[in-house]
Amino acid sequence: MSTANTPYSSLIVTEKGQPFTLSDAERHEIEHAIHHYEDPRAASIDALKIVQKYRRWVPDGAIYLIAELLQMSAADVEGVATFYNRIYRQPVGRHVIAVCDSIGCFLTGFDELYAALQETLGIRPGQTTPDDRFTLLPVCCLGACDQGPVLMVNNATHFNVSPANLTQLLELYP
Ligand code: FES
């Protein structure tokens, strides 16, 4: 069977063999975002953020359906998703801890902080705690190099984080 002209949406199935679909809310918000741009492709980052808002991450199926809605190739949508390091292409926990590992924070205690995080959470970088509470990721400079070590939890930036104040900080994120 030729699939050359077959829409992505009829080809994508989930692990359980069900067709992958965007929710009505996701589709509605993406269509709304498209109207803000002359070229629908310009809404690609908005569309990825919308899917991530509802699912915490962006599954493969969503890449194809976003591509279809925005009239672009799935490879191009994937390229946008890969470019933005806050778009997650694998499941993450309820809270994502992004720790700056660039030179400024490296000089102000990154190593000790990163080790303490791994020990406290019981996970390695890139992993999620078994209770689905935290995912730990390294990131490049967060733009507050004079206040390191710096990390973000979800969208909140925390400055001068140390092993000593780590427990208190994590308690803010149940
Ligand atoms: S080096 Fe860490 S915020 Fe810039």
Side-chain angles (χ1 to χ4, degrees), residues 81-136:
T82 306
F83 182 78
Y84 290 95
N85 64 3
R86 300 305 298 270
I87 295 294
Y88 307 123
R89 292 287 285 112
Q90 291 183 19
V92 294
R94 295 194 301 282
H95 309 294
V96 176
I97 304 175
V99 190
C100 169
D101 65 357
S102 295
I103 186 67
C105 291
F106 196 80
L107 294 172
T108 53
F110 162 80
D111 270 345
E112 294 80 1
L113 175 63
Y114 213 36
L117 272 163
Q118 292 177 61
E119 190 179 327
T120 304
L121 300 175
I123 55 174
R124 307 283 296 160
Q127 294 181 337
T128 298
T129 53
D131 61 0
D132 214 26
R133 184 177 168 201
F134 289 113
T135 297
L136 178 63

Side-chain angles (χ1 to χ4, degrees), residues 32-158:
H32 184 73
I34 290 171
H35 287 132
H36 288 121
Y37 302 98
E38 256 178 52
D39 184 336
R41 294 175 297 180
S44 54
I45 186 64
D46 303 69
L48 290 162
K49 284 181 177 174
I50 288 163
V51 170
Q52 185 160 291
K53 180 178 76 175
Y54 284 100
R55 301 172 189 254
R56 291 194 217 155
W57 68 294
V58 180
D60 289 346
I63 295 286
Y64 288 102
L65 295 187
I66 288 171
E68 202 166 275
L69 283 171
L70 272 52
Q71 299 162 38
M72 57 195 289
S73 73
D76 284 346
V77 177
E78 182 68 58
V80 175
T82 306
F83 182 78
Y84 290 95
N85 64 3
R86 300 305 298 270
I87 295 294
Y88 307 123
R89 292 287 285 112
Q90 291 183 19
V92 294
R94 295 194 301 282
H95 309 294
V96 176
I97 304 175
V99 190
C100 169
D101 65 357
S102 295
I103 186 67
C105 291
F106 196 80
L107 294 172
T108 53
F110 162 80
D111 270 345
E112 294 80 1
L113 175 63
Y114 213 36
L117 272 163
Q118 292 177 61
E119 190 179 327
T120 304
L121 300 175
I123 55 174
R124 307 283 296 160
Q127 294 181 337
T128 298
T129 53
D131 61 0
D132 214 26
R133 184 177 168 201
F134 289 113
T135 297
L136 178 63
L137 297 173
V139 290
C140 293
C141 181
L142 293 168
C145 321
D146 58 336
Q147 297 176 81
V150 180
L151 59 75
M152 287 185 79
V153 184
N154 307 329
N155 293 320
T157 308
H158 298 273

